[in-house]
Amino acid sequence: MKHLLLLILIVVAACKAGFSTSPGTAQGNTLQNQVIISNPFPNPARDLATFEYFLPAGAKEARLVVRNLTGLVEISQPLDVSANKVELDTSRLRNGIYLYSIEVNNQGVISKRLVISR
């Protein structure tokens, strides 16, 4: 039930941001306002963090990239462009604050914060 409510909230936010699943309707919209990613659950995370995401219809490839605060890539995980959920193994990350972003078609789109605490 929680996932359904989260999905509904993400879709509503997507509509407000101009997200469209129809090719060709993104004229004038940037890729950034067509991509949506939820906050990780849980956050702070221990060994696993779950993200829900929506990508534009024209997305050919996407990945979830986690960087430390110096910008070093710690995790780079490909995303299934036809799915909307990914579980990220965070067990190898040390305690601390990380920045995660979605890259779509080799373009960084959204960045947010992930906290690891054990």
Side-chain angles (χ1 to χ4, degrees):
M1 186 69 170
K2 286 183 190 178
H3 294 296
L4 179 59
L5 290 174
L6 179 60
L7 185 61
I8 291 170
L9 289 174
I10 290 172
V11 170
V12 168
C15 291
K16 287 182 179 179
F19 176 81
S20 173
T21 57
S22 304
T25 61
Q27 198 168 21
N29 290 338
T30 64
L31 188 58
Q32 185 169 6
N33 66 17
Q34 296 178 41
V35 175
I36 297 173
I37 187 166
S38 69
N39 291 323
F41 179 80
N43 194 12
R46 289 180 183 255
D47 296 323
L48 190 69
T50 302
F51 300 83
E52 292 185 352
Y53 59 91
F54 288 93
L55 303 173
K60 294 182 177 98
E61 64 175 29
R63 56 191 330 95
L64 180 64
V65 179
V66 179
R67 292 179 172 83
N68 63 26
L69 292 180
T70 65
L72 180 68
V73 174
E74 299 280 348
I75 299 172
S76 180
Q77 179 168 332
L79 298 175
D80 181 349
V81 295
S82 64
N84 67 350
K85 184 177 178 179
V86 64
E87 290 185 341
L88 184 70
D89 177 9
T90 59
S91 62
R92 62 183 178 199
L93 297 176
R94 294 180 177 181
N95 287 347
I97 299 172
Y98 295 85
L99 301 176
Y100 67 92
S101 59
I102 285 190
E103 295 180 358
V104 178
N105 299 337
N106 295 317
Q107 180 181 359
V109 180
I110 296 176
S111 294
K112 294 185 178 185
R113 186 175 56 171
L114 169 66
V115 178
I116 303 297
S117 178
R118 294 186 180 84

